Amino acid sequence: SRHSGASSAEVILRTSSEWITATVADNGQGFEEGKTRGLGLLGMEERVRELGGSIRVQTSRNAGTRIEIRLPNPNGVQGE
């Protein structure tokens, strides 16, 4: 909320035998894609890549932000 100005956020964590997926979405101010990414997003991208995963960021001005992180499930344990 410090940077986004969001009044609410949703966090969803899903697992399958192959993947762990975390999604974080907020209703904040968003930002312009294509601009230089801040250190927070760069750090997240780097850590996700090091773990063999992927990250997708969807955002636009005044329309919130949604970040989806997908990581290989090292234990193959499934749940919701």
Side-chain angles (χ1 to χ4, degrees):
S1 69
R2 182 174 68 179
H3 296 293
S4 73
S7 62
S8 68
E10 178 180 48
V11 178
I12 300 170
L13 183 64
R14 292 190 172 99
T15 62
S16 72
S17 59
E18 295 180 29
W19 300 100
I20 299 170
T21 305
T23 304
V24 180
D26 70 34
N27 67 346
Q29 65 186 2
F31 55 91
E32 288 185 49
E33 289 194 73
K35 296 280 186 181
T36 303
R37 294 193 184 275
L39 291 177
L41 278 177
L42 287 173
M44 287 171 56
E45 290 169 341
E46 183 176 305
R47 286 188 288 276
V48 167
R49 267 194 315 272
E50 287 174 359
L51 294 169
S54 63
I55 184 170
R56 183 173 55 174
V57 179
Q58 298 172 304
T59 186
S60 60
R61 277 277 183 217
N62 301 313
T65 301
R66 178 183 175 93
I67 299 174
E68 183 176 283
I69 297 170
R70 191 170 141 157
L71 300 169
N73 187 341
N75 299 319
V77 177
Q78 187 172 344
E80 253 324 285

